[in-house]
Amino acid sequence: MSTTTRPLSPYRPRRAAKHGGPSVPEPMPIEQAMNGHTGLARLGLLLQESNRRMAIVSVALPGALTRFVKPGPIDEEGWTLLASNAAVAAKLRQLQPRLLELLAEQGIPAAKLRIKVMQPG
């Protein structure tokens, strides 16, 4: 009977081998990992900024529209709002001047506000 070994998950701590071999270190919390890596720290800051912008513009979204809109990525050119479908995207495009105005009132420089429909899945 042959035995196969399956690879260990990187997220599960492993006890030290009985033969004295190296052990896998304990996993670290995501916040600690993000703060310890320059690229991940920048990603975390961009995520926070995207969520902050979403909080600013959500006051202009009528009724239950907010639950169909998600904050998207921020880059050098601007910010993206993700709409759950084409109808929501169309409404966001109508509101775009007001959304940019709200951002400007909070000291966020006028940049491109992209509106994209989220892909299902």
Side-chain angles (χ1 to χ4, degrees):
M1 187 185 330
S2 72
T3 59
T4 58
T5 59
R6 53 170 209 191
L8 293 176
S9 167
Y11 304 107
R12 237 185 314 178
R14 181 176 69 170
R15 295 184 192 180
K18 291 181 183 179
H19 55 79
S23 65
V24 175
E26 292 288 323
M28 69 174 65
I30 187 79
E31 187 175 327
Q32 183 182 353
M34 288 184 76
N35 290 334
H37 187 276
T38 307
L40 291 176
R42 176 164 161 63
L43 182 63
L45 291 174
L46 290 173
L47 179 62
Q48 287 177 348
E49 178 61 20
S50 183
N51 287 332
R52 183 176 82 92
R53 291 180 185 197
M54 183 65 193
I56 292 168
V57 300
S58 65
V59 299
L61 302 180
L65 189 67
T66 305
R67 67 181 189 181
F68 299 106
V69 180
K70 302 285 183 225
I74 296 177
D75 57 28
E76 297 80 27
E77 295 177 14
W79 178 46
T80 302
L81 277 176
L82 302 171
S84 63
N85 58 54
V88 172
K91 184 63 178 175
L92 288 173
R93 287 185 184 96
Q94 288 178 341
L95 294 170
Q96 196 168 10
R98 176 67 180 135
L99 301 180
L100 288 169
E101 182 182 305
L102 287 169
L103 292 170
E105 288 172 5
Q106 294 299 313
I108 298 170
K112 189 173 185 179
L113 176 59
R114 296 176 299 262
I115 298 166
K116 296 188 176 186
V117 177
M118 286 186 276
Q119 296 299 318

